[in-house]
Amino acid sequence: MSAVGTRELSMSEHPILVDDTKAIAPGTLYLVGTPIGNLEDITLRSLRVLQQVDWIAAEDTRRTGQLLKHFQIGTRTLSYHAHNRAQRIPDLIAKLQADAAIALVTDAGMPAISDPGEDLVRACIAAEISVVPIPGPTAFVTALVAAGLPTDRFMFEGFLPTQASVRHARIAEIPARGMTTVLYEAPHRLLKTLEDLSHAIPRDRPIVLARELTKKYEEFWRGSLQEAIARVKVHPPRGEFAIAIGGRSETAPHLSDEEILAQVQSLMKEGVSRSQASRQVAQATGRGRRDIYDLALLLPPVEEMKME
């Protein structure tokens, strides 16, 4: 071997590559993960990239400025967020095509996850501009691994839509999943989201509320959906939340549409309203309430059933 301090590696070995001399590539967009709370979570590679790029495109330049000041980084910043992305993307593409290296950061975590950065990434790919991810922490993974719920398969929903019809449709998909689902929510909307979930998901479904992740007041609360609603009503939520919802139990009944309709019909004959019958069957089977209600609309009114 000609190189001092090196050796041949077998095919079974996985070397850790350290290349602190690697230069920033001109005309490249770097997606840089930043801490979700604790500043010590930033990587050495992230710091190097932030120091060496020509520009940093930040969701909030004031918040990113605090991070840069802490690590004594003087790179120029410009804003890129949900409200200016349409105007800003052409400017960023032009800079990149002129061989500027740009780092994209979000307020916390990885850009392009529940973040307008995904639009810039697509625009760069369409313009054949290189996109390089610099891994960093993400809130949903941090919440998931400490939640105590199954992690072999999971669904990340991010923030639920605000439009009612789309929101309800998205929530209706959750009950039948045999995997953990992770959501994001702001404190002032947490109770409403939990109550919306309870209209479709059995109230005894396990749930974890993770807040202030990696920060001083980090907290994981574990219990049922019903208990979570009761807790939030008593303890006003503070901080950003990641919500982990357990999947449907493998022992939950797998019923056909015909069997579902038979259960709804039986309840309606007892005088239960169509809506309430749909909700009760949803809670018993783990199937979405709106899905069951749509099926229930095929049944005749209660009055006609009683005449049978």
Side-chain angles (χ1 to χ4, degrees), residues 274-294:
R274 193 186 308 268
S275 176
Q276 186 59 36
S278 300
R279 179 171 300 173
Q280 289 184 27
V281 174
Q283 291 177 346
T285 63
R287 191 161 170 178
R289 182 184 67 82
R290 287 186 172 272
D291 184 23
I292 292 177
Y293 184 77
D294 289 342

Side-chain angles (χ1 to χ4, degrees), residues 108-297:
M110 282 299 296
I113 296 180
S114 292
D115 174 79
E118 63 178 296
D119 296 328
L120 179 58
V121 171
R122 281 195 290 267
C124 285
I125 293 171
E128 299 185 348
I129 292 170
S130 179
V131 178
V132 176
I134 311 297
T138 54
F140 78 88
V141 172
T142 303
L144 177 67
V145 297
L149 298 173
T151 60
D152 54 334
R153 296 178 65 228
F154 65 91
M155 176 69 73
F156 174 59
E157 286 283 358
F159 288 97
L160 289 171
T162 55
Q163 183 181 344
S165 59
V166 181
R167 180 182 178 88
H168 291 317
R170 187 75 62 81
I171 289 175
E173 298 172 358
I174 297 176
R177 291 178 187 157
M179 67 183 81
T180 303
T181 299
V182 185
L183 312 172
Y184 285 158
E185 194 50 275
H188 64 280
R189 292 194 301 262
L190 180 62
L191 179 58
K192 176 178 177 9
T193 292
L194 293 175
E195 290 177 334
D196 287 348
L197 289 169
S198 73
H199 295 319
I201 299 173
R203 286 179 169 241
D204 61 354
R205 186 73 64 89
I207 191 169
V208 179
L209 303 181
R211 74 178 189 93
E212 295 292 90
L213 292 171
T214 78
K215 300 177 184 177
K216 181 178 180 180
Y217 296 105
E218 175 181 270
E219 179 184 30
F220 286 84
W221 180 90
R222 301 171 178 87
S224 68
L225 177 54
Q226 183 171 3
E227 291 168 337
I229 292 172
R231 176 181 172 80
V232 171
K233 286 180 177 179
V234 175
H235 302 282
R238 295 180 180 180
E240 299 298 315
F241 281 80
I243 307 169
I245 306 165
R248 178 177 55 80
S249 170
E250 293 299 324
T251 59
H254 295 265
L255 302 179
S256 66
D257 288 353
E258 290 74 18
E259 291 171 319
I260 290 287
L261 278 173
Q263 288 195 18
V264 174
Q265 186 173 38
S266 175
L267 289 170
M268 289 176 65
K269 284 183 177 180
E270 294 175 5
V272 179
S273 70
R274 193 186 308 268
S275 176
Q276 186 59 36
S278 300
R279 179 171 300 173
Q280 289 184 27
V281 174
Q283 291 177 346
T285 63
R287 191 161 170 178
R289 182 184 67 82
R290 287 186 172 272
D291 184 23
I292 292 177
Y293 184 77
D294 289 342
L295 284 173
L297 291 175

Side-chain angles (χ1 to χ4, degrees), residues 36-58:
I36 59 176
N38 194 316
L39 293 182
E40 292 183 357
D41 291 336
I42 198 163
T43 69
L44 295 176
R45 188 183 179 202
S46 294
L47 290 175
R48 178 174 62 81
V49 170
L50 292 175
Q51 288 172 335
Q52 295 182 0
V53 292
D54 300 298
W55 292 91
I56 297 173

